[in-house]
Amino acid sequence: MMKEKERLDKILANSGFGSRRDVKRLVRYGEVLINGVQVRDPEFHIDVDNDKVVINGEPLVIEKHSYFMMNKAGGAVCSTKSDRHQTVYEFLDAADNQKRLGGSLSTVGRLDADTEGLLIFTTDGELNHRLTFPKYEVKKTYLVHLRDKVSDQDKSVYIEKARQGLHIPSAANDPECDAKPCVIEFIEDDKCKITVTEGRFHEVKRIFIALENEVVYLKRLSMGTLSLDENLACGQYRSLTEEEVSALKELVK
């Protein structure tokens, strides 16, 4: 297997040492040691897994990717910019919301502005793609509050229709279609959990419209092997553990 090598100036820029121009100046001033040897070439390639980099006497920990989970707050949108709403990126510290070797931080899928709960951020484009690619049918579970209470008899109807797969109405640019089978578990007459494996636009809301009801509150509880950390208040986030990242990668191998 070939060793993964990256340019020194790219690594330093993505590690918060300034622009490419800034880090080139830093390197040329002789402030960088690679495996104990002074390097003055900004385009020098290093083995990111094995080479030891020291900047101004301090060892550099090279991060190839970042992984976070956030308890998304209602009202925030999953975009980098918005004229009308706060964006989920505004809840991130500047040190976390910066490029790594893998690129810029992105959300894994999107949640509607009024939806709360588990939102994953990563610079790992391959994992992001696999978690959202329909082929892998990654399960996503939501807590749903409904407009109308559901009788015990109708609960059975909801559960069975969801199990068979519902024909759901159109929304935005997504036409009416047959949704894949999903699982509904009632908690109370107007509260339930639903587990889906697709990522269609407004899918959960459209499923309950097809059941002649309406979602008035929606919160994502889990995605694949990852469940929302109950210690995170709305708008708070934390890094994923190595075990959590490994479990997600194993899920979509």
Side-chain angles (χ1 to χ4, degrees):
M1 181 181 296
M2 293 183 62
K3 293 183 178 180
E4 183 177 357
K5 292 196 172 187
E6 294 284 355
R7 278 176 45 154
L8 179 58
D9 56 354
K10 177 182 177 181
I11 291 171
L12 297 184
N14 290 343
S15 298
F17 286 91
S19 66
R20 288 288 180 96
R21 178 178 294 181
D22 293 332
V23 299
K24 284 179 179 178
R25 187 180 302 115
L26 180 71
V27 175
R28 286 169 177 154
Y29 282 172
E31 303 293 343
V32 181
L33 300 181
I34 309 295
N35 300 324
V37 179
Q38 191 178 70
V39 173
R40 293 180 182 270
D41 178 8
E43 297 184 13
F44 185 84
H45 282 68
I46 69 170
D47 178 350
V48 297
D49 293 316
N50 298 301
D51 287 340
K52 292 178 171 42
V53 183
V54 175
I55 314 293
N56 293 323
E58 294 292 327
L60 174 66
V61 177
I62 300 173
E63 292 185 76
K64 287 189 280 187
H65 290 299
S66 295
Y67 306 87
F68 302 104
M69 78 156 71
M70 175 183 286
N71 184 359
K72 178 187 171 295
V77 295
C78 295
S79 58
T80 55
K81 295 180 181 179
S82 174
D83 295 331
R84 297 186 300 136
H85 298 278
Q86 193 171 20
T87 81
V88 292
Y89 292 91
E90 293 177 53
F91 291 87
L92 300 172
D93 293 336
D96 293 326
N97 188 19
Q98 67 176 15
K99 275 190 172 184
R100 299 290 188 258
L101 291 183
S104 299
L105 208 60
S106 299
T107 62
V108 179
R110 301 167 74 89
L111 291 177
D112 299 338
D114 59 355
T115 301
E116 299 179 2
L118 176 64
L119 184 64
I120 304 172
F121 292 80
T122 185
T123 58
D124 188 338
E126 181 178 359
L127 179 61
N128 193 334
H129 172 73
R130 286 172 174 263
L131 288 173
T132 54
F133 194 57
K135 167 188 172 181
Y136 293 96
E137 297 189 341
V138 174
K139 293 181 179 179
K140 295 168 280 288
T141 299
Y142 297 81
L143 172 66
V144 180
H145 293 189
L146 296 169
R147 178 194 63 200
D148 303 327
K149 291 186 177 181
V150 182
S151 68
D152 289 342
Q153 181 178 350
D154 284 342
K155 287 175 187 174
S156 298
V157 174
Y158 276 45
I159 291 168
E160 181 58 23
K161 285 186 174 181
R163 187 187 68 79
Q164 293 178 0
L166 285 152
H167 188 77
I168 60 176
S170 61
N173 294 323
D174 198 16
E176 61 180 72
C177 61
D178 292 323
K180 287 186 177 180
C182 58
V183 177
I184 294 177
E185 303 171 78
F186 275 91
I187 303 168
E188 298 177 20
D189 291 345
D190 59 352
K191 294 181 179 66
C192 64
K193 292 181 182 179
I194 182 170
T195 300
V196 298
T197 57
E198 290 184 284
R200 289 187 175 277
F201 182 72
H202 286 178
E203 182 179 9
V204 173
K205 295 176 180 177
R206 293 160 69 187
I207 286 171
F208 285 98
I209 289 173
L211 291 167
E212 300 182 354
N213 210 325
E214 182 181 338
V215 174
V216 295
Y217 175 78
L218 190 60
K219 180 177 184 177
R220 184 154 67 191
L221 303 177
S222 65
M223 185 173 188
T225 56
L226 187 66
S227 295
L228 179 64
D229 188 333
E230 295 180 354
N231 294 316
L232 293 176
C234 280
Q236 290 186 330
Y237 72 99
R238 68 163 173 82
S239 296
L240 296 188
T241 66
E242 290 185 8
E243 291 76 15
E244 288 169 336
V245 174
S246 295
L248 287 174
K249 289 182 176 180
E250 187 68 23
L251 177 69
V252 291
K253 283 179 60 176

